[in-house]
Amino acid sequence: MCQIPLTLPLAPSYKEDDFIIGSANERAMKWLSLWPDWPLPYRVLNIFGASGCGKTHISHVFEALSGARRLIELKDIKVIVDSADTHFVLDNFSLDADYDPEAVFHFFNHIASIDGTALLLSRQSAAKMDCALDDLRSRLRAVTCQEISAPDDVLLVQVLQNMFADRQCSVPDNAISYMITQMPRDFTAAYQLVAAIDMAALAAKKPITLGIVKQVMMPDNNALEFNFKHGK
């Protein structure tokens, strides 16, 4: 089989209008719509879920709404205290080398003192994270936590259709139906799969068909980052 090089020339859009709401994420978006009136005492929202579930898109919507500053680590609270920022995104949050527990403890206190807000993105619920600091543990338990679950068929179909439309691709319904029965249930996989199928059709100088989709999704296609057979 001819390998298909996986390059992604079309960057994903993180605009609010491009965010598709379904049963998996509607509660998370509802919490976002309530900003800045998130529950006290810290007004911190934790959106958690598996990689590729849509957390990043939601955080960009929040950034546009609030002007939040995005952090990928927090090791010294001084970088926060010495700034004029009042709203934050803590990306890929966990209590590890990137996020020092002592600094996170002071971050919660700082947020409360300046009447700020923060959005924590994580794979695990912040309320269930292991923490040796009792004071920080109590603060994490006070965080409002909302999970984004894996997309159902209806949402995944809509996402795939939009991704193909962004590439000006027409795709038959039977190809979409086949994709959702074989692929992983996450948007990162969907994005990479759509890109690979688009490139395969361009290379063949043919419109996208079920045959092209099946060829791209064959388990022996080592050019892909995912083995799409049965969602593995």
Side-chain angles (χ1 to χ4, degrees):
M1 175 182 174
C2 178
Q3 286 194 347
I4 301 166
L6 184 57
T7 58
L8 308 176
L10 185 65
S13 171
Y14 290 129
K15 295 179 181 179
E16 182 174 6
D17 290 344
D18 293 324
F19 189 85
I20 300 174
I21 299 177
S23 59
N25 57 32
E26 60 184 349
R27 290 186 178 181
M29 285 301 290
K30 177 62 176 178
W31 275 114
L32 207 63
S33 71
L34 296 176
W35 181 88
D37 298 320
W38 291 343
L40 295 171
Y42 301 107
R43 296 204 300 170
V44 174
L45 173 64
N46 171 221
I47 294 180
F48 68 98
S51 176
C53 71
K55 300 188 296 293
T56 297
H57 197 154
I58 284 183
S59 72
H60 281 276
V61 174
F62 175 66
E63 280 184 325
L65 176 68
S66 64
R69 174 181 175 183
R70 183 177 294 267
L71 303 176
I72 59 173
E73 63 178 16
L74 183 58
K75 300 178 181 180
D76 189 343
I77 192 60
K78 289 182 180 179
V79 301
I80 300 300
V81 174
D82 294 341
S83 74
D85 300 304
T86 55
H87 307 296
F88 301 88
V89 174
L90 274 59
D91 201 355
N92 198 24
F93 176 75
S94 61
L95 299 177
D96 56 16
D98 291 330
Y99 289 96
D100 178 75
E102 190 73 28
V104 174
F105 165 72
H106 290 296
F107 174 80
F108 272 84
N109 293 342
H110 178 67
I111 284 289
S113 70
I114 63 173
D115 199 28
T117 61
L119 175 64
L120 276 56
L121 308 177
S122 61
R123 295 193 180 190
Q124 176 190 16
S125 168
K128 295 182 179 180
M129 291 182 180
D130 293 331
C131 180
L133 294 177
D134 290 341
D135 289 338
L136 176 56
R137 188 185 306 112
S138 66
R139 282 157 176 75
L140 291 174
R141 300 297 184 272
V143 168
T144 299
C145 300
Q146 179 60 58
E147 182 178 15
I148 299 180
S149 56
D152 58 18
D153 286 357
V154 174
L155 179 57
L156 194 55
V157 166
Q158 289 181 290
V159 168
L160 289 170
Q161 289 173 336
N162 273 28
M163 288 179 176
F164 279 118
D166 287 343
R167 294 173 176 271
Q168 300 182 335
C169 296
S170 177
V171 184
D173 291 342
N174 63 348
I176 296 286
S177 297
Y178 180 82
M179 290 168 66
I180 65 172
T181 62
Q182 302 294 316
M183 64 180 289
R185 315 298 287 186
D186 72 72
F187 300 138
T188 300
Y191 176 74
Q192 295 189 2
L193 177 56
V194 166
I197 291 170
D198 184 22
M199 290 188 65
L202 288 172
K205 297 182 180 181
K206 296 180 180 179
I208 295 173
T209 62
L210 176 59
I212 287 178
V213 169
K214 286 184 175 181
Q215 182 183 39
V216 170
M217 297 180 72
M218 288 179 65
D220 62 347
N221 185 359
N222 296 324
L224 296 175
E225 291 187 22
F226 293 91
N227 176 354
F228 287 104
K229 185 66 176 176
H230 301 308
K232 294 182 180 178

